[in-house]
Amino acid sequence: MQIYGFPAIDGPGGGVKVAFFRKGVICTPETIDRTVREDEIREMCDRVAELLPALDGPCLHSATCMYSNTPDEHFVHRPTSGQRECDRCVWIPRGTASSSSLWSGEILADLATTGSTNHPISLFDPRRLVTK
């Protein structure tokens, strides 16, 4: 089971955010179950202890996280203007991991500041999802 995490921004006493990646039930904002169960917390703590023993500690807080995936589970990066390159556009990452990945952040910074990137990004083109 894959997990991901973020370091505490308020120091060591703030803990870290950890979560399972792509584990859950398909739902909508109206049907999501926002109850975090003890067995889910225990499973997460066990996984953290296995992979990151220095972080083995108590759960400080738990909450449900909802995010969406594309059908192929790859990110989507595109300018809000709908153009591939533009002088003044805002790049919006789509997908949870895309907004938190350093590699993805570098790509978005390149696109926002220069309009291009040296990284291969055709995989992130939203047109790949269009079926005819």
Side-chain angles (χ1 to χ4, degrees), residues 75-92:
F75 310 139
V76 171
H77 295 320
R78 69 172 182 84
T80 56
S81 67
Q83 301 170 355
R84 294 295 287 165
E85 296 181 18
C86 59
D87 292 333
R88 294 183 178 185
C89 61
V90 176
W91 286 84
I92 299 176

Side-chain angles (χ1 to χ4, degrees), residues 94-114:
R94 298 290 197 260
T96 301
S98 69
S99 61
S100 59
S101 164
L102 295 176
W103 180 74
S104 186
E106 183 178 328
I107 290 170
L108 293 172
D110 289 347
L111 294 171
T113 58
T114 68

